[in-house]
Amino acid sequence: MTELDTHGMLRGAGLRVTEPRRAVIEALSGLPHASADAVHARVSQSLPDVSLQTVYNVLHDLTGRGLARSIEPGDHPARYELRVGDNHHHLVCTHCGAIADVDCVVGQAPCLTPDDDHGYAVAEAEVTFWGLCADCRHAVVAPSPASVHL
Amino acid sequence: MTELDTHGMLRGAGLRVTEPRRAVIEALSGLPHASADAVHARVSQSLPDVSLQTVYNVLHDLTGRGLARSIEPGDHPARYELRVGDNHHHLVCTHCGAIADVDCVVGQAPCLTPDDDHGYAVAEAEVTFWGLCADCRHAVVAPSPASVHL
DNA sequence: TCCTTTTTTTGACTTCTTCAAATCACGGCT
DNA sequence: AGCCGTGATTTGAAGAAGTCAAAAAAAGGA
């Protein structure tokens, strides 16, 4: 198991080392693809006084310095991950919003060049796979109205 | 120029034909990638009493019946388009949210199969290219603080 | 034309996220 | 080791986008 060097990460990015920030990084490490709320809940276990606003601030700082990445799937709340810079994509559950990682599908830079860029300076290509996660397949598809038994 | 058969589209989808609905489809036809607000503004030119809520209702109905598609780019408000079922993707401006169409990049179904689907029933692959549109490149990048002249 | 069902309106409300001012604390410096 | 300035956190309020719900209006089949 790789030791998580929160101190080094923060200082390396030019950020001050504080308990809330270390706790957010640790939360994200244990909960990849967590929402701000989920991070807050996790952080609150060890630091009950950290506010949700602080979690938002920290997540904003981390993403701004490249230590974290935010994923904003459709109309689901934003989620955050520490995996950055390795060009991977996401499976998103249309029902519950759960997210899973997908390593780059076609070689290393899939679909990275549109044939016509319409004058845009393209910086990044993002691939999102939409579907039902295993849990929701069972919960949503399987029990038809008539077959549900409580 | 193809004539827009709003009546046929609606009836074909099992929806009643109403002025607000025809107007929304026409707005979308003239403004591809319009937000609900933009559609409402356009519709208001001919039908000033149509509420924003109605526009939301209509857009919801149209997307539900497959007549329109909604695009939800990151933290920008949702946008809508009539082009459906032709597997194209989008260039989104990170600064202003402008959207341009990109025809399918790699063959016909790019990156459509993740090697590991993590138990998800994948229904769709969405590719989004992020970058600066031509206007924003000039507005944001070009004028450095010192070189701006009012 | 009448009647049922679908649409539209109105207005309040939810959720996620950001803004702003005041307080607090990290950490470079002496 | 202690001070101080800048950067971090808290608090509380506000904002944007979209949804919910009940009542009024209109579409279109009989």
Side-chain angles (χ1 to χ4, degrees):
Chain A
M1 183 66 85
T2 313
E3 196 58 49
L4 193 61
D5 179 18
T6 53
H7 186 102
M9 289 173 66
L10 290 167
R11 300 259 70 205
L15 293 171
R16 288 188 181 174
V17 180
T18 66
E19 284 309 302
R21 283 177 175 167
R22 303 177 69 135
V24 166
I25 294 175
E26 271 155 22
L28 240 30
S29 162
L31 303 167
H33 314 128
S35 64
D37 253 343
V39 170
H40 181 234
R42 179 70 154 256
V43 166
S44 296
Q45 292 174 12
S46 50
L47 302 172
D49 292 338
V50 170
S51 66
L52 176 58
Q53 177 62 54
T54 293
V55 171
Y56 274 109
N57 290 159
V58 173
L59 290 171
H60 181 260
D61 294 341
L62 294 180
T63 54
R65 305 307 174 99
L67 295 184
R69 173 179 166 194
S70 80
I71 311 159
E72 291 163 7
D75 53 353
H76 297 282
R79 288 152 178 278
Y80 300 84
E81 67 183 356
L82 292 178
R83 269 185 80 178
V84 291
D86 69 341
N87 187 243
H88 72 279
H89 302 301
H90 295 106
L91 277 162
V92 183
C93 178
T94 39
H95 189 250
C96 71
I99 296 184
D101 286 335
V102 183
D103 289 310
C104 197
V105 257
V106 182
Q108 288 185 311
C111 318
L112 221 154
T113 319
D115 13 294
D116 181 357
D117 67 8
H118 292 262
Y120 282 56
V122 176
E124 189 189 346
E126 181 182 6
V127 181
T128 305
F129 299 95
W130 294 94
L132 276 179
C133 72
D135 287 352
C136 290
R137 282 164 81 175
H138 302 135
V140 178
V141 179
S144 71
S147 66
V148 182
H149 40 219
L150 307 173
Chain B
M1 185 64 85
T2 314
E3 196 56 51
L4 192 62
D5 179 17
T6 54
H7 187 103
M9 288 173 66
L10 289 167
R11 299 259 72 204
L15 293 170
R16 289 189 179 172
V17 178
T18 66
E19 283 310 302
R21 283 176 174 167
R22 303 177 68 135
V24 166
I25 294 174
E26 272 155 22
L28 241 29
S29 162
L31 302 166
H33 315 125
S35 64
D37 253 345
V39 170
H40 181 234
R42 178 69 154 257
V43 166
S44 295
Q45 292 174 11
S46 50
L47 302 173
D49 292 337
V50 170
S51 66
L52 176 58
Q53 178 62 53
T54 293
V55 171
Y56 274 110
N57 290 159
V58 172
L59 290 170
H60 181 260
D61 293 341
L62 295 181
T63 54
R65 306 305 175 100
L67 295 183
R69 174 179 166 195
S70 80
I71 312 158
E72 291 163 6
D75 54 353
H76 297 281
R79 287 151 179 278
Y80 298 85
E81 66 183 355
L82 293 178
R83 271 184 79 177
V84 291
D86 69 341
N87 187 243
H88 72 278
H89 302 300
H90 296 105
L91 277 162
V92 183
C93 178
T94 39
H95 189 250
C96 71
I99 295 183
D101 286 334
V102 182
D103 289 309
C104 198
V105 257
V106 182
Q108 288 185 308
C111 318
L112 221 156
T113 321
D115 12 295
D116 179 358
D117 68 6
H118 292 264
Y120 281 56
V122 176
E124 189 189 344
E126 180 183 5
V127 182
T128 305
F129 299 95
W130 294 94
L132 276 179
C133 72
D135 288 351
C136 290
R137 282 164 80 176
H138 301 137
V140 178
V141 179
S144 70
S147 67
V148 181
H149 40 220
L150 308 173

